Amino acid sequence: MTAKVPLIGFDRYVDLEWCRRAMDAAATESSIEVVRDQVATTLPGIESQRKTLDVLKRLSTKPFEHLADFISRGIAIYKRLGQDTVLPLVWGAAIASYPFFGKTSETAGRLLALQGDCSIKELQRRMAEQYGDRSGIERAVTRVLQSQASWQALTRDETAKRVIKRQAVLIQDDELTACLIEAAVRYAGKPVSVPSLQSLPVLFPFTLTQPLAYVVSNSANLMLRSEGPSNQFVALKDR
């Protein structure tokens, strides 16, 4: 049976510092409620604060059931490598947990790869084409992009009408590399070509520097599949 996840789900502004505090809570097995005061200083309204905390929980202390082991392994990486891993870990958790966040990221990645920047209106239009031109899509895309700007995954220009690609973050740890690859495969919902991993639009803020076939072959959670003599794909290992 396929696990159910929200169609949009991630339609909140989520600050990077809140993510770090949430990961601290997960790493120390503490309540995420310690983040509530920080959220409350930025977001008015009890309901808005609650929904934002719900997103933070899904990325850290209370993941969707089918992602519990994946998120837990990410927290272990955070405990080992520290705060420099917040962006890749929260990115991986978000694209795996929220298809809408992943699709916004993939669409942005494709547009940014063309010329280094793109119009937010163009992003919103393309997302509306895929999800339906209904109320909430434009706002949800805007919130995702605001969050990604806070995470320093991209930059918004002074008019807040365009987003600009930043210099990619180098991912050099094998375990962290495998985590991002696994997140991308979970988002895709199917095996992903190994040669394509270096330029996946959904992972646009990162450059995976390690030999990826080697990383996958040494992962306890990923496997290589061959289709023909030169076509390799990465897939999740069966549990």
Side-chain angles (χ1 to χ4, degrees):
M1 185 173 67
T2 302
K4 293 183 179 179
V5 295
L7 179 60
I8 294 181
F10 199 118
D11 59 354
R12 312 273 100 202
Y13 168 71
V14 179
D15 189 87
L16 185 65
E17 177 61 16
W18 304 343
C19 296
R20 184 191 67 77
R21 293 287 297 275
M23 294 179 75
D24 283 342
T28 58
E29 299 183 5
S30 304
S31 171
I32 201 173
E33 294 301 312
V34 299
V35 188
R36 185 180 293 278
D37 287 345
Q38 278 192 314
V39 173
T41 61
T42 301
L43 300 179
I46 298 299
E47 185 66 7
S48 179
Q49 294 168 21
R50 181 190 66 78
K51 290 180 178 179
T52 300
L53 282 172
D54 284 347
V55 171
L56 288 165
K57 289 176 184 177
R58 293 305 192 188
L59 303 181
S60 57
T61 61
K62 193 177 180 181
F64 291 110
E65 184 176 356
H66 67 290
L67 293 173
D69 178 67
F70 172 68
I71 300 295
S72 177
R73 286 185 275 112
I75 298 301
I77 294 173
Y78 176 68
K79 291 169 70 174
R80 178 171 65 87
L81 296 179
Q83 296 186 13
D84 287 346
T85 62
V86 173
L87 170 58
L89 289 174
V90 75
W91 190 277
I95 66 172
S97 301
Y98 294 104
F100 184 85
F101 182 100
K103 182 58 70 174
T104 303
S105 303
E106 180 183 6
T107 305
R110 292 188 188 282
L111 293 173
L112 291 172
L114 294 175
Q115 57 187 29
D117 71 335
C118 66
S119 162
I120 293 176
K121 282 292 185 185
E122 174 68 5
L123 263 170
Q124 292 170 327
R125 183 184 67 78
R126 294 199 180 198
M127 290 298 293
E129 288 174 353
Q130 297 176 69
Y131 278 78
D133 191 12
R134 58 196 172 107
S135 62
I137 290 294
E138 287 191 1
R139 184 177 66 86
V141 170
T142 298
R143 296 294 180 265
V144 168
L145 296 175
Q146 286 177 335
S147 299
Q148 293 179 349
S150 164
W151 301 358
Q152 299 184 353
L154 50 75
T155 302
R156 293 191 300 167
D157 71 359
E158 63 276 5
T159 69
K161 294 181 179 179
R162 301 186 70 81
V163 290
I164 303 166
K165 188 175 182 179
R166 295 176 64 101
Q167 184 172 355
V169 176
L170 301 182
I171 305 298
Q172 299 175 313
D173 180 80
D174 283 3
E175 194 174 8
L176 185 57
T177 300
C179 181
L180 278 172
I181 293 172
E182 181 176 345
V185 174
R186 289 183 178 278
Y187 161 70
K190 61 183 180 180
V192 175
S193 166
V194 172
S196 75
L197 291 173
Q198 292 285 10
S199 57
L200 282 180
V202 75
L203 297 181
F204 73 84
F206 311 104
T207 295
L208 307 179
T209 65
Q210 302 303 89
L212 300 184
Y214 174 82
V215 168
V216 171
S217 65
N218 282 281
S219 170
N221 305 287
L222 300 170
M223 61 183 293
L224 288 174
R225 291 181 180 174
S226 295
E227 297 185 9
S230 59
N231 293 325
Q232 283 190 316
F233 291 79
V234 56
L236 303 178
K237 280 188 177 177
D238 295 329
R239 292 290 184 179

